[in-house]
Amino acid sequence: MGASLNDVKHRITSTKKTRQITNAMEMVSQAKLNQIQKHTVSYAEYASQIKSVVLHLAQSHILDGLNKSSGHSADQDQSKTKRSAYLIITSDRGMVGSYNSNVIREANEFIEKHSGSNDYQILAVGGTGSDFYKKRGDNVSYEYRGVSDVPTFNEVRQIVKMVTSMYDKGQFDELYVCYEHFVNRLISRFRAEKMLPIDDEAIASAASQDIEVKPMSAEYDVEPSEKEVLDVVLPQYSESLVYGAILDAKTSEHASSSTAMKSASDNADDLISSLELQYNRARQAAITTEITEITGGQEALSH
């Protein structure tokens, strides 16, 4: 009985130490979540303005000849199978609940539906996704690890520069950004947004998102030229889309981590209560046994 009591007591001590760790990790994730949410609020205004400009350029038909002039024409796309690429955003670490598995599962379903058995490429932001698709034997043509807890615009600019360079070189014909959109601290939803080329589908995808689009006139007098305006606006649009997706994904990651650690702490509390009850019952049983033995001994001596 003594060994059993010591074993239970050891498990209680061990579980309490685990609870201290999960409590600390929950607080860290919560702090990161609060920080990135403040950052996202200031970014949303910029993103809204950029999306507004691109949407209204589309309404003014300034974008109509864009894909033909870039070498990715609609006629070419119809005459051959499109080579698709998917920029999939996951975390670099574990302890984030179901976050990574949700992104990968939903992305796989989207890829299966969109590409089927056709060739496609994976562009992985985050080590978890990169490791998964490499292990599965997929073509991971680009990976970026170590995104900051609150990503900077310069980090994303590196990613966008590489991705657009791959597109311009003809390594793929279209690119989708796949990530978990933050709804609230308990809910996130998968999104797959078309990033390249900036065509009707990409514009419709941008228009359907939650960022408020500012009302603007659809009529433009373009100075000095349409091409020079597009050369400035479209790279900013691409950076804005990817940066927004990574910010959104990181927000979901921190929320998922906080929720997972809270759940682990709650489970630890339940286990500690159960073990303490088990310990007290075993201790009472041991005391009762000792009293019975003493009483029995006294009765034997009295006879």
Side-chain angles (χ1 to χ4, degrees):
M1 185 63 73
S4 177
L5 280 171
N6 287 335
D7 186 46
V8 174
K9 191 173 183 179
H10 176 73
R11 288 186 64 194
I12 291 171
T13 302
S14 176
T15 306
K16 284 182 176 179
K17 289 179 180 178
T18 300
R19 183 183 59 186
Q20 288 178 337
I21 294 170
T22 55
N23 277 337
M25 292 177 71
E26 180 191 348
M27 291 174 65
V28 169
S29 295
Q30 190 65 51
K32 290 176 181 178
L33 177 59
N34 292 338
Q35 187 179 2
I36 200 170
Q37 283 184 301
K38 291 178 183 177
H39 193 73
T40 303
V41 169
S42 59
Y43 160 77
E45 178 65 24
Y46 167 78
S48 173
Q49 293 289 352
I50 290 294
K51 285 194 174 184
S52 295
V53 170
V54 172
L55 286 172
H56 288 284
L57 285 172
Q59 290 175 12
S60 298
H61 305 290
I62 292 177
L63 298 179
D64 287 353
L66 177 64
N67 292 328
K68 289 183 181 179
S69 65
S70 69
H72 294 268
S73 72
D75 293 337
Q76 287 175 327
D77 287 343
Q78 290 173 2
S79 65
K80 66 178 183 179
T81 302
K82 288 184 180 179
R83 295 165 300 163
S84 300
Y86 303 91
L87 180 68
I88 300 176
I89 304 170
T90 60
S91 74
D92 287 298
R93 61 190 180 90
M95 302 288 192
V96 291
S98 60
Y99 171 77
N100 287 316
S101 59
N102 286 346
V103 177
I104 291 171
R105 185 188 71 255
E106 296 271 13
N108 289 346
E109 290 177 3
F110 181 78
I111 292 169
E112 176 65 26
K113 182 179 179 181
H114 189 76
S115 289
S117 60
N118 297 330
D119 289 336
Y120 60 87
Q121 300 174 42
I122 301 295
L123 285 66
V125 175
T128 303
S130 179
D131 293 341
F132 172 85
Y133 286 106
K134 282 181 178 178
K135 191 174 293 184
R136 200 172 76 157
D138 285 338
N139 178 16
V140 179
S141 57
Y142 173 75
E143 65 176 326
Y144 186 96
R145 297 173 184 254
V147 174
S148 303
D149 289 324
V150 181
T152 65
F153 204 79
N154 283 334
E155 282 183 90
V156 175
R157 188 169 279 139
Q158 295 177 47
I159 298 170
V160 174
K161 185 177 180 181
M162 178 58 71
V163 167
T164 53
S165 173
M166 294 169 72
Y167 174 74
D168 289 339
K169 290 175 182 176
Q171 290 183 234
F172 49 81
D173 300 310
E174 59 180 5
L175 174 66
Y176 290 85
V177 182
C178 304
Y179 65 99
E180 283 288 291
H181 164 61
F182 175 79
V183 178
N184 57 48
R185 299 192 181 208
L186 297 176
I187 300 172
S188 62
R189 293 196 180 99
F190 177 77
R191 275 186 178 173
E193 297 180 44
K194 191 169 188 179
M195 175 181 167
L196 293 169
I198 302 174
D199 55 13
D200 290 341
E201 182 186 346
I203 297 299
S205 177
S208 69
Q209 303 310 330
D210 295 336
I211 292 178
E212 179 188 359
V213 177
K214 305 293 183 183
M216 299 173 67
S217 169
E219 299 298 326
Y220 285 89
D221 292 323
V222 181
E223 293 287 348
S225 72
E226 292 181 2
K227 182 181 184 304
E228 288 177 304
V229 170
L230 294 176
D231 285 345
V232 173
V233 171
L234 296 184
Q236 290 185 16
Y237 172 78
S238 297
E239 289 170 354
S240 168
L241 193 154
V242 177
Y243 186 52
I246 291 177
L247 271 182
D248 206 348
K250 271 291 178 183
T251 305
S252 295
E253 177 189 331
H254 296 324
S256 184
S257 177
S258 176
T259 301
M261 292 304 100
K262 184 180 186 308
S263 178
S265 297
D266 291 343
N267 290 338
D269 284 333
D270 292 341
L271 180 57
I272 290 167
S273 296
S274 176
L275 288 171
E276 286 178 340
L277 181 61
Q278 181 182 340
Y279 178 80
N280 290 333
R281 284 177 175 173
R283 193 157 171 263
Q284 288 171 0
I287 292 170
T288 302
T289 300
E290 289 177 7
I291 291 173
T292 302
E293 289 174 352
I294 292 169
T295 303
Q298 287 177 338
E299 289 179 355
L301 289 173
S302 64
H303 289 88

